[in-house]
Structures are given as C-alpha cells and as structure tokens.
Amino acid sequence: MLAGISGASAHVGVTPDKTTANSYALLTFGIPHGCEESGTTKVTITLPAELNDAQPTVNPNWTAAKVTEQLAEPKKLVDGTSITKRTSQIVYTAKAPLEPALRDALVLSVKLPDAAGKTLYFPTLQNCEVGQTDWSELPAEGQDPHSLKAPAPSVAVTAAAAADGHGAEAASASDTTPETVQAAAVSDDGAQARSWAGLVAGVGGLVLGGLALARSRGNTPAPVSVSAPGSGPNPATRQ
C-alpha cells in the first residue's frame, strides 16, 4: 500500500477547481520529482485539441511561455468568429532546478468545452538536469489510469448540477431586486412618517388642552364677599 501511495504521489497530476462544462477553471498541476534524484528544470504542458488557449499563472520560481500552432483550417467558435491559431503548449522553465525532495504547483486558467462527458488529457513532459519523464500515457477503454507508469494528467468535464429545492429557496432569497429594496425602504419611511405625525398631533393636543384649561381658569369671576345678617356697620358709629 505504501509503495502504491509513493508511486501515485510521484506522478504529475492535475487538480481542477471546477469541472463544469462551459466554465472557466483553474487547473493546478502538481510537480513532484520525476527523474530519480535529478532536479526538474522545465515542464511542458500540452493542451488538448478541445482547448484554444490557456493563461499561465505567475509562479516566482518559474518563467512561463506560450507555444502557438497554425491550424490546418480555420476553426469556427460558438460566437460565430473563427481562429486560425491556437495555444498548443505552456512551457514553464525553472529559474533554479526544483530539488527532487521538493514539489511545486503550476496553475493554468482555461475555458472548458461546452459539452459535458469528455475527458481532457494534458500530456506533460518533465525535463530534469539529468533525464526526463514524459507523462503522456493514455488509458485504454476501461483501464485504470493509476495502473499506468506515466499517465497523462486528465480532467473529466461534467454537466452543471440541477438546482434542488434548497437552491431554489436560495435563489428566491437572492433575487431581491434593487427596486424591491427601494420600495421596502419607501414603505418603511412612510410608516415612520405616520408615526411621527401621530406623535406630533398628540403633543399638539396636550398643548392645546393645557392652554384651554389655563384660559378657563383666567375667565373665572373673582369670589364676592357677602356679609352675614347683623354683621353690617354699627349704626352707632355712623356720623
């Protein structure tokens, strides 16, 4: 088992971040030791015929270059345009040999084909200070690629996953348009305006009630003093 794992880890493999047809994907090629104890100096990745181009990601340990080829006849694209050349290879050259005890990763950005169900193979030539390894073997019908000595890295193009109920709910939640948000904001502002208007009206009513009460008190006649019988002026004191 350990021998199998060791052998598999020594292969140049590719890990895509997505495999959906008609999507842009990042393909990460893992570069392990491939020439016994000799350091890797150059990696040449050949693109399958289904791809027209690839954009290499900058790696500070390597320089990258595209190799183009002239097509035998113009190739018509989905948008109606045609091309007469395509990128056939991406060549990474190491600024310093990659030691056999180390590994590195080289990343390409590609546009996957429109149709699902196709397996794309990327034959990769690994040149070393001494010797080279050509990772270009393709499996026969029904053969396990891991059984090959130097299999070509491959990516299987898949169909887009059908949306389920959860996806529909998420889409419904995310389909809120700016107009809907604006309408909600307007409704909220209207409710707030009505609340403030009610508050102002209530305060105004209290103020008017207080003024009316004060006015009614100001218009109340002053009390009149009435003398009790027999309490009038003493006739003896009259002059």
Side-chain angles (χ1 to χ4, degrees):
M1 182 181 297
L2 292 177
I5 294 175
S6 176
S9 65
H11 292 173
V12 170
V14 58
T15 303
D17 69 335
K18 63 181 66 175
T19 59
T20 308
N22 198 34
S23 66
Y24 286 91
L26 294 177
L27 310 182
T28 302
F29 291 80
I31 309 301
H33 68 86
C35 307
E36 300 299 335
E37 298 302 318
S38 181
T40 300
T41 57
K42 185 168 67 173
V43 175
T44 302
I45 302 171
T46 299
L47 303 183
E50 292 82 358
L51 301 183
N52 299 320
D53 193 18
Q55 184 175 14
T57 301
V58 173
N59 184 314
N61 301 319
W62 306 74
T63 60
K66 291 184 179 183
V67 176
T68 59
E69 68 174 359
Q70 184 74 36
L71 299 177
E73 58 183 21
K75 181 178 180 180
K76 191 172 183 179
L77 304 181
V78 178
D79 60 4
T81 61
S82 298
I83 59 174
T84 58
K85 295 181 179 180
R86 65 177 288 268
T87 300
S88 59
Q89 293 180 327
I90 301 296
V91 180
Y92 278 96
T93 303
K95 295 179 180 179
L98 176 64
E99 297 180 18
L102 303 177
R103 68 184 303 277
D104 207 340
L106 306 177
V107 183
L108 302 182
S109 174
V110 302
K111 171 70 160 50
L112 297 179
D114 299 337
K118 181 74 174 180
T119 298
L120 306 178
Y121 292 95
F122 297 81
T124 301
L125 179 61
Q126 183 177 11
N127 291 97
C128 302
E129 291 179 294
V130 178
Q132 64 180 29
T133 301
D134 189 7
W135 306 95
S136 61
E137 295 181 355
L138 304 183
E141 184 74 22
Q143 183 180 12
D144 183 2
H146 294 92
S147 65
L148 299 175
K149 183 178 180 181
S154 63
V155 174
V157 182
T158 60
D164 55 14
H166 297 290
E169 292 176 3
S172 176
S174 64
D175 284 344
T176 304
T177 61
E179 291 79 4
T180 304
V181 175
Q182 184 177 4
V186 171
S187 298
D188 291 343
D189 290 344
Q192 292 178 3
R194 289 192 294 273
S195 299
W196 279 107
L199 179 60
V200 172
V203 173
L206 291 175
V207 172
L208 292 176
L211 292 175
L213 179 60
R215 187 180 299 110
S216 64
R217 288 181 177 178
N219 294 335
T220 302
V224 178
S225 178
V226 180
S227 300
S231 62
N234 190 343
T237 62
R238 292 179 181 176
Q239 296 180 352

